Amino acid sequence: MRKEKVKLTGAEIVVEELKNEGVEVAFGIPGGVLLDLYNVLYGDDTILHILMRHEQCAAHAADGYARVSGNPGVCIATSGPGATNLVTGLANANMDSAPVVALTGQVLTAAIGTNAFQEASTFTITMPVTKHNFMVKRTEDLPKVIHNAFYIANTGRKGVVLVDLPKDVLATRVEVDLHQRETFAGYKPRTKPNKAQIKKAAEALANAERPVILAGGGVISTDAAEELRHLAEFLGAPVVTTLIGKGAIPEDHPFSLGMAGMHGRIYANRVIYECDALLALGTRFSDRLTGWQLDQFAPDAKLIHVDIDAAEINKNIQVDIPIVGDAKLTIADIIKSLEKKKRADMNAGKGKNLSVWVQRIKEMHSACDECIKDVGRTGSSISDRFIKEISAILDDNAIVTTEVGQCQMFAAHYYITKKPRTFISSGGLGTMGFGFPAAIGAKVAAPDRKVLDIAGDGSFLMTCQDLATCVENDIPVVVCIFNNCYLGMVRQWQELFFDKKYSHTCLGRTTDFVKLVEAFGGYGERVEKPEELKDALHNAFASGKPAVIDMIVGWDDKILPMIPPGGGLTGMIGTERCKNI
Amino acid sequence: MQKHIISLLVEDHPGVLTRMSGMFTMRGINITSLTVSPCEQDGLSRMTVVIDGPDSVLEKVRKQISNLIEVVRVIDLAENRAIIRDLCLIKVHVRDAEDRSTVMQLSETWGAKIVDATLDAVIIELTDEPRRIDRFVDLIKQFGVKQLFRTGVTAIGI
Ligand SMILES: Cc1ncc(C[n+]2csc(CCOP(=O)(O)OP(=O)(O)O)c2C)c(N)n1
Ligand SMILES: [Mg+2]
């Protein structure tokens, strides 16, 4: 342990410790109680501070940055309204287990609890939406707290840690040891899976005739895509994903069947229903995945659940073989165990033939593929054709973020993700307005890659003011707006389940998104036909500016098939155009 | 519905109680008794929480509480594997000498102490298992209980 006693202000300690944690970027907005901190950031060239236009965007940008880079994202907000503005972004990141560290200013320690100017109880407000939070009362505690904030955010099940920093704690100068490493006795994230459980899992998988792998966000956050692919090929098992798991396997791989769940692909849901062994990796079985008829969720399967968070085991779904551990380490161990078993079986002249199952998977995969390639098919809507165009134009390294609504689900269905950390979407919280600021964070994390937000006209207006941030800081992200002049997803539900009473979902067509982006100093273009998108996207990327492409789509396009509310995996509606395999 | 006694070893930090109780609040579970006090280790405290709820839900909450960073250990104490105590202070109305002597006799039989007495009332202290305290309180009620205080359950595994 490095020990150095130095005399520093709280603000200097914070910045020192951020650098020590390897922080290169922070997204924030200053305020009265943060003047000391920002004074230290002035002219600092190790940490790039990006001045946002709304704290919610600072949190989403940190979230997007974290999901793309794999390193914790940092956001900063002042006391009171700054901190309350952060809350949505923090809840969003925490729900999707993205590592984010938030620093908030707070009023003087002596004034806390007095309703002082710009005081909000950030500590209590953010408790339920963070993995952990700290209220620092003594400057001497800062080295330990900042270290723990990063350690907790970025280990075990990743999540959000907030540090509340009263003005006087930042201003006071004290003599401290920097880089203290003391942690919490009760915090011991378990990553190594139990050997006996691995053996049971390998046996169940080896004995299965219809094995299926369900990959969640844990596969992506532990960078286990390589291992996953190897396992799938070894087993002859199709891979279906959750929304957050999208990208865990290249979606053009013959064993990939796409996203499962309420708005998932029909075959993805079908194989979960049909399988006799389900290996669920790093997923929490949210209701958007399982549907509501749990007897239709893998009814005949031995259920193996791998999760780093022991509290997720048997929380939403009762499982047969629980394994608490990191997805990457667990998959590697399962593969080892399977290989050993296979050698033994081969020596004994045993062996299993999965050719029927594999054939069926390949048929399902090509049925999806056909549907994705065929733009002229009856029932194709202009919305899915736009996504197909985007998918064809972008390279494998490009990063797609999404807003929330039909636009998001069209993207989840039709955008073919080839690599992990290239599809970034708000899963757990379903936050409209997430995609654009997340794209800002993504672009800052990967400046050399194309970053595109698949947006809805409703969602984009929730956070579009940060176009100013993009223009000022030269962050050229491209936003493709599905302009259906509706809160489309809600409208779809009204059409299907509420007698077409379109109560308060029509947004109208009066907003001129091209002029909007031009007013900010960016590039804008409107397209009415999917064929025109290629040129428009080319122009947008070539402009080198932040850009908005206003894509006019059908107001009544629907994203189908879907599981109706209350339904289960086998009860999808709108399946008429799906091949029955 | 089943009664559960959960014993927690936690960091002695502000906010720990809120985090812990927030987990129950989130699932709409009522805490029926709660004690917090220092313990044998510096910097840690012990909480004893009594709750009513279905086993399956409580198991889920227990795991979520174990996840809290400042929680060092969580133990679900089975009633038959623990020494369980509650302390109660009761101010009982005594109208006359006869009442007074009956109350005093009953207290003695139950192992309770008279800790204060005035002309028309006595204060009784009883430390015992919560169930026995319930029975004692029922008994003493007929004299007219002016005030009743219970500390809530504390329990130690055997
Ligand atoms: C912040 C927020 N408010 C409300 C909702 C509820 N909601 C879910 S989808 C949706 C419509 C989104 O509209 P738009 O962005 O235009 O996307 P579309 O569905 O039309 O593609 C709404 C209002 C939400 N998810 N998030
Ligand atoms: Mg819309």
Side-chain angles (χ1 to χ4, degrees):
Chain A
M1 193 197 286
R2 206 141 49 101
K3 275 241 165 125
E4 22 178 309
K5 274 249 191 254
V6 281
K7 205 153 180 173
L8 295 175
T9 65
E12 287 165 345
I13 298 171
V14 170
V15 174
E16 246 337 282
E17 293 292 344
L18 289 180
K19 288 180 187 171
N20 190 53
E21 296 295 333
V23 173
E24 292 172 355
V25 184
F27 304 89
I29 302 183
V33 295
L34 283 180
L35 283 163
D36 296 275
L37 183 65
Y38 274 85
N39 192 43
V40 180
L41 288 173
Y42 182 76
D44 187 292
D45 49 12
T46 322
I47 298 177
L48 169 69
H49 178 277
I50 294 180
L51 174 62
M52 305 297 289
R53 298 300 188 268
H54 193 297
E55 289 85 355
Q56 181 188 345
C57 292
H60 288 324
D63 185 346
Y65 177 90
R67 293 194 209 194
V68 167
S69 69
N71 300 318
V74 175
C75 56
I76 307 177
T78 193
S79 65
T84 53
N85 270 352
L86 269 188
V87 171
T88 302
L90 301 183
N92 186 83
N94 204 51
M95 277 281 252
D96 289 346
S97 309
V100 167
V101 172
L103 305 177
T104 50
Q106 184 52 276
V107 300
L108 294 167
T109 40
I112 290 174
T114 65
N115 292 346
F117 177 63
Q118 293 194 324
E119 182 187 359
S121 181
T122 307
F123 186 58
T124 47
I125 291 171
T126 59
M127 221 176 247
V129 297
T130 54
K131 180 174 174 186
H132 192 62
N133 62 2
F134 294 92
M135 149 83 93
V136 187
K137 289 281 184 61
R138 301 178 335 144
T139 306
E140 295 84 329
D141 295 338
L142 280 170
K144 196 171 107 183
V145 167
I146 302 289
H147 169 66
N148 273 295
F150 282 86
Y151 174 62
I152 293 166
N154 206 28
T155 49
R157 176 174 184 172
K158 297 178 183 186
V160 176
V161 179
L162 178 138
V163 183
D164 203 24
L165 300 160
K167 153 95 189 159
D168 50 325
V169 169
L170 289 173
T172 305
R173 191 176 288 278
V174 294
E175 193 165 279
V176 284
D177 290 333
L178 285 176
H179 316 323
Q180 297 175 29
R181 287 290 168 271
E182 190 186 334
T183 57
F184 289 85
Y187 183 65
K188 292 192 198 74
R190 184 150 118 221
T191 52
K192 268 204 177 332
N194 176 293
K195 283 208 177 81
Q197 294 300 93
I198 291 283
K199 204 162 162 236
K200 278 192 213 162
E203 225 141 75
L205 289 167
N207 293 334
E209 281 169 9
R210 300 179 306 280
V212 169
I213 300 173
L214 166 63
V219 176
I220 295 192
S221 70
T222 58
D223 296 315
E226 268 308 308
E227 288 83 352
L228 173 69
R229 182 186 168 140
H230 183 128
L231 177 64
E233 286 168 358
F234 189 92
L235 279 175
V239 178
V240 302
T241 73
T242 64
L243 179 70
I244 303 302
K246 194 170 155 76
I249 184 153
E251 290 185 308
D252 55 354
H253 190 286
F255 285 177
S256 161
L257 291 181
M259 184 178 83
M262 179 173 185
H263 283 286
R265 294 219 184 125
I266 184 166
Y267 308 122
N269 288 345
R270 193 166 287 171
V271 291
I272 292 182
Y273 177 72
E274 285 180 9
C275 67
D276 61 354
L278 181 69
L279 174 64
L281 298 161
T283 165
R284 61 192 172 84
F285 296 115
S286 99
D287 54 272
R288 281 294 187 271
L289 170 75
T290 59
W292 293 267
Q293 301 295 324
L294 294 184
D295 55 343
Q296 293 174 21
F297 190 86
D300 303 325
K302 263 249 172 343
L303 241 154
I304 307 158
H305 187 194
V306 179
D307 206 282
I308 197 148
D309 181 357
E312 288 302 339
I313 306 281
N314 291 336
K315 187 179 94 178
N316 295 335
I317 292 269
Q318 211 59 35
V319 300
D320 301 302
I321 306 173
I323 302 179
V324 178
D326 164 292
K328 190 183 179 88
L329 298 177
T330 307
I331 302 173
D333 281 2
I334 291 179
I335 293 174
K336 261 187 245 152
S337 186
L338 281 169
E339 279 170 346
K340 214 160 96 190
K341 191 169 161 36
K342 187 173 178 184
R343 274 195 301 274
D345 283 355
M346 275 186 5
N347 290 342
K350 287 191 288 189
K352 203 165 30 109
N353 191 348
L354 284 179
S355 58
V356 181
W357 183 236
V358 168
Q359 192 47 41
R360 186 165 159 74
I361 301 315
K362 287 185 174 162
E363 267 173 50
M364 287 181 173
H365 177 84
S366 26
C368 286
D369 207 36
E370 257 169 56
C371 153
I372 282 158
K373 289 199 177 117
D374 181 2
V375 293
R377 210 163 66 91
T378 47
S380 282
S381 71
I382 191 162
S383 297
D384 58 55
R385 289 179 53 201
F386 269 117
I387 301 274
K388 291 169 187 178
E389 284 293 330
I390 292 174
S391 202
I393 295 163
L394 292 184
D395 60 277
D396 295 359
N397 286 317
I399 297 158
V400 161
T401 67
T402 80
E403 301 297 344
V404 166
Q406 290 180 311
C407 51
Q408 175 187 32
M409 290 304 141
F410 275 116
H413 263 259
Y414 297 106
Y415 183 76
I416 304 303
T417 306
K418 307 271 179 59
K419 293 190 175 177
R421 299 189 186 279
T422 63
F423 185 88
I424 312 293
S425 193
S426 166
L429 203 64
T431 312
M432 290 170 69
F434 165 79
F436 171 53
I440 296 177
K443 186 71 183 172
V444 172
D448 300 333
R449 289 153 66 182
K450 291 194 172 86
V451 177
L452 186 147
D453 172 32
I454 294 181
D457 46 344
S459 298
F460 182 58
L461 286 184
M462 289 202 177
T463 47
C464 66
Q465 74 288 330
D466 271 81
L467 277 168
T469 306
C470 293
V471 174
E472 277 298 325
N473 295 280
D474 194 15
I475 305 170
V477 303
V478 175
V479 180
C480 286
I481 300 177
F482 278 70
N483 192 346
N484 53 11
C485 68
Y486 268 90
L487 295 170
M489 185 58 99
V490 184
R491 190 211 61 78
Q492 172 168 336
W493 283 52
Q494 289 171 334
E495 177 182 336
L496 296 173
F497 314 117
F498 287 85
D499 303 326
K500 303 195 177 176
K501 289 194 189 113
Y502 300 131
S503 177
H504 304 281
T505 41
C506 182
L507 297 165
R509 280 231 194 259
T510 49
T511 310
D512 187 331
F513 288 104
V514 174
K515 276 195 187 144
L516 176 89
V517 63
E518 285 170 357
F520 279 101
Y523 177 83
E525 204 170 313
R526 180 166 300 117
V527 295
E528 316 239 341
K529 296 196 192 85
E531 310 80 273
E532 299 165 6
L533 185 61
K534 191 170 183 179
D535 285 344
L537 268 182
H538 176 81
N539 297 341
F541 286 119
S543 76
K545 294 182 191 171
V548 170
I549 298 177
D550 185 20
M551 308 186 305
I552 309 300
V553 300
W555 72 274
D556 58 351
D557 282 358
K558 284 190 290 298
I559 176 74
L560 289 170
M562 71 176 287
I563 298 173
L569 287 189
T570 59
M572 293 193 97
I573 57 169
T575 56
E576 299 75 22
R577 38 192 201 126
C578 307
K579 241 194 214 168
N580 199 7
I581 297 170
Chain B
M1 294 286 259
Q2 240 222 283
K3 194 167 104 178
H4 281 253
I5 301 172
I6 295 183
S7 173
L8 298 118
L9 192 62
V10 302
E11 304 264 354
D12 184 13
H13 292 168
V16 178
L17 184 60
T18 313
R19 287 183 213 281
M20 185 279 297
S21 62
M23 291 289 163
F24 291 107
T25 313
M26 203 167 73
R27 289 188 180 260
I29 295 173
N30 189 32
I31 295 178
T32 53
S33 152
L34 169 68
T35 58
V36 187
S37 62
C39 67
E40 70 283 358
Q41 294 179 61
D42 277 350
L44 299 185
S45 28
R46 196 160 257 127
M47 291 184 188
T48 311
V49 191
V50 182
I51 46 202
D52 278 327
D55 286 1
S56 58
V57 175
L58 287 175
E59 173 57 13
K60 290 173 190 176
V61 182
R62 190 191 61 74
K63 284 203 232 164
Q64 284 174 316
I65 288 178
S66 318
N67 265 358
L68 293 174
I69 309 294
E70 293 160 317
V71 170
V72 180
R73 204 158 49 239
V74 186
I75 300 166
D76 200 344
L77 284 174
E79 274 184 89
N80 55 354
R81 308 265 312 133
I83 307 290
I84 304 164
R85 290 293 178 270
D86 192 354
L87 182 149
C88 91
L89 294 169
I90 320 171
K91 188 185 272 182
V92 192
H93 190 65
V94 283
R95 266 162 310 187
D96 48 30
E98 196 190 328
D99 270 12
R100 179 182 299 270
S101 80
T102 322
V103 166
M104 287 173 84
Q105 262 176 26
L106 276 172
S107 298
E108 202 183 326
T109 320
W110 279 78
K113 272 193 289 188
I114 307 287
V115 289
D116 191 44
T118 57
L119 286 178
D120 64 345
V122 292
I123 299 178
I124 308 168
E125 175 194 324
L126 176 61
T127 305
D128 212 323
E129 285 179 9
R131 241 174 314 181
R132 276 183 48 91
I133 293 184
D134 292 344
R135 285 183 54 207
F136 181 68
V137 170
D138 263 356
L139 202 64
I140 224 78
K141 256 186 192 156
Q142 55 189 304
F143 297 94
V145 169
K146 289 185 164 186
Q147 279 182 316
L148 169 71
F149 291 81
R150 290 173 73 156
T151 55
V153 166
T154 190
I156 187 167
I158 49 177

